[in-house]
């Protein structure tokens, strides 16, 4: 029909009716139905898990360190939705390297648990283009800021990518969170961890470890040789007149 009630508006048109979107709610109590609606709502005292079931907050998979998602093998990849979590964890300003911004105090978070079998530098990637996300890594949930080994808070609505050194046999908790500490930020994400880069430090005291870090630093005024040994400045060829190249 024509929109106007006072003028005769008419012309050619095309009417299109698409195939219906079928809600995917089999075995689900809550969460998205795949068609822009939900499969139901949980009670006020419950949360919706990633499997579409309602749980008490403390038992929602990934919601706390006690019920963290376990990373059992590397390489690892898992998609999630941090909107299904609660705001439990955050980092303090100055607590986490490299910049210590302090993140996550206003946003829901998800927790992953990982015990490496090899010491090395692990490439951790957080795809989070639907919200301004971050991740941080700590060795103790009860002292998160005191044992934090890395905090990623560099990109705005872009993937967070970092090389994180981890020790074999030590359990780490990896938190997916919102970066802002003033507003809530959450959404769909993918967490990925690649095979580690293994340090090349056998017989070396200092120098490049082959993974973007070092095998150690030399004390005092000693210098590091190309072979990764700490020596006095006077002993390095070409460094002084006494050891000049001839």
């Amino acid at each position: 029909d024509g929109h106007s009630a006072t003028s005769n508006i008419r012309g050619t048109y095309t009417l299109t009716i698409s195939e219906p979107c079928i809600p995917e709610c089999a075995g689900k109590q809550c969460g998205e139905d795949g068609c822009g609606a939900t499969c139901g709502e949980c009670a006020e005292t419950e949360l919706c898990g990633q499997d579409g079931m309602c749980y008490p907050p403390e038992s929602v998979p990934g919601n706390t360190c006690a019920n963290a998602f376990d990373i059992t093998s590397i390489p690892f990849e898992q998609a999630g939705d941090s909107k299904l979590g609660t705001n439990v964890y955050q980092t303090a300003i100055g607590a986490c390297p490299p910049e210590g911004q302090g993140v996550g105090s206003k946003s829901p978070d998800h927790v992953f648990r990982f015990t490496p079998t090899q010491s090395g530098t692990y490439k951790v990637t957080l795809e989070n283009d639907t919200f301004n996300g971050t991740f941080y890594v700590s060795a103790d949930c009860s002292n998160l800021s005191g044992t934090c080994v890395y905090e990623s808070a560099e990109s705005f609505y872009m993937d967070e990518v970092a090389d994180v050194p981890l020790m074999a046999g030590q359990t780490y908790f990896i938190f997916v969170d919102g970066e802002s500490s003033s507003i809530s930020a959450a959404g769909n994400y993918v967490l990925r961890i690649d095979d580690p880069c293994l340090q090349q430090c056998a017989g070396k005291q200092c120098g490049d470890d082959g993974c973007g870090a070092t095998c150690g630093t030399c004390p005092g005024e000693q210098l590091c040789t190309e072979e990764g040994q700490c020596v006095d400045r006077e002993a390095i060829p070409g460094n002084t007149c006494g050891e000049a190249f001839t």
Side-chain angles (χ1 to χ4, degrees):
D1 206 341
H3 177 70
S4 175
T6 59
S7 302
N8 185 11
I9 300 175
R10 56 187 176 179
T12 60
Y13 65 89
T14 300
L15 177 66
T16 302
I17 301 176
S18 64
E19 294 289 334
C21 179
I22 307 299
E24 298 178 358
C25 289
K28 299 176 65 175
Q29 298 173 321
C30 56
E32 297 179 357
D33 68 352
C35 296
T38 67
C39 296
E41 300 292 336
C42 296
E44 291 184 3
T45 57
E46 295 180 321
L47 289 177
C48 187
Q50 291 194 164
D51 58 358
M53 303 301 290
C54 296
Y55 298 93
E58 64 275 9
S59 64
V60 173
N63 193 50
T64 66
C65 289
N67 204 27
F69 296 120
D70 281 311
I71 299 173
T72 58
S73 63
I74 296 295
F76 172 82
E77 181 176 311
Q78 181 169 312
D81 183 355
S82 61
K83 294 192 301 292
L84 301 178
T86 54
N87 181 21
V88 180
Y89 303 103
Q90 60 273 323
T91 62
I93 295 175
C96 299
E99 298 182 7
Q101 295 185 21
V103 297
S105 63
K106 298 292 184 181
S107 302
D109 34 65
H110 273 169
V111 190
F112 293 78
R113 180 169 43 223
F114 176 44
T115 304
T117 58
Q118 289 181 302
S119 296
T121 300
Y122 290 78
K123 182 179 180 181
V124 182
T125 302
L126 176 66
E127 296 180 3
N128 62 147
D129 57 1
T130 63
F131 71 107
N132 190 21
T134 184
F135 72 86
Y136 43 93
V137 184
S138 181
D140 186 352
C141 277
S142 62
N143 184 22
L144 194 155
S145 291
T147 61
C148 188
V149 299
Y150 194 87
E151 174 189 283
S152 174
E154 300 177 359
S155 303
F156 190 71
Y157 285 92
M158 297 176 64
D159 293 352
E160 301 281 336
V161 183
D163 293 323
V164 184
L166 302 176
M167 298 296 294
Q170 170 67 56
T171 296
Y172 296 93
F173 295 91
I174 302 173
F175 302 83
V176 175
D177 211 333
E179 181 175 336
S180 175
S181 289
S182 58
I183 60 173
S184 178
N188 295 320
Y189 66 85
V190 176
L191 180 68
R192 183 181 301 110
I193 304 176
D194 294 337
D195 287 320
C197 176
L198 302 181
Q199 292 179 313
Q200 306 299 315
C201 288
K204 298 176 66 175
Q205 300 172 315
C206 55
D208 186 3
D209 70 349
C211 297
T214 69
C215 296
T217 56
C218 295
E221 295 186 356
Q222 287 190 328
L223 296 178
C224 188
T225 67
E226 292 184 358
E227 294 75 27
Q229 301 300 307
C230 294
V231 299
D232 293 333
R233 292 173 180 269
E234 294 78 10
I236 296 181
N239 195 51
T240 65
C241 290
E243 289 293 330
F245 296 118
T246 57

